[in-house]
Amino acid sequence: MATATLNNPVGRTQTGEAERHSEGSVARNIENYTAQVPSDWFLWAAGASIVGSLTLHALNRKEDAQFVGQWVAPFMLLGVYNKIVKVAGSDRVHGS
């Protein structure tokens, strides 16, 4: 017997909690678009940043190598965000 209004440990209903913390239309639209991007794109982008940074370093362009190498973390974070949006979404209450 699973319903959307099961009590959580604090005693509030999950539906009420989700409604109070729902996202706005801008966030919903961004997440709808983001969910369409394949998750492995971000992994490939991070890998390309690593390879690009190593290449620039080998060409003795150290400052450029550091700049490109710093892209790895943002690409990975965007990949994590993308995966969370696909798995959990922001507003299951609205069914978007």
Side-chain angles (χ1 to χ4, degrees):
M1 177 169 108
T3 64
T5 58
L6 293 174
N7 286 333
N8 64 21
V10 183
R12 290 180 243 149
T13 60
Q14 291 174 352
T15 302
E17 188 76 16
E19 288 173 353
R20 281 200 311 273
H21 300 292
S22 64
E23 299 289 349
S25 62
V26 173
R28 268 195 307 270
N29 288 333
I30 290 171
E31 290 183 4
N32 185 33
Y33 177 76
T34 302
Q36 297 173 15
V37 178
S39 297
D40 59 341
W41 283 12
F42 297 103
L43 186 59
W44 283 107
S49 296
I50 293 169
V51 171
S53 178
L54 289 172
T55 302
L56 289 167
H57 194 276
L59 295 173
N60 212 21
R61 295 175 55 188
K62 306 234 186 283
E63 288 182 13
D64 294 335
Q66 284 183 334
F67 177 70
V68 172
Q70 290 176 356
W71 298 350
V72 176
F75 283 136
M76 295 301 288
L77 287 171
L78 287 169
V80 169
Y81 173 77
N82 178 272
K83 185 59 76 173
I84 290 170
V85 166
K86 287 181 179 182
V87 172
S90 66
D91 274 346
R92 295 294 181 192
V93 173
H94 297 296
S96 54

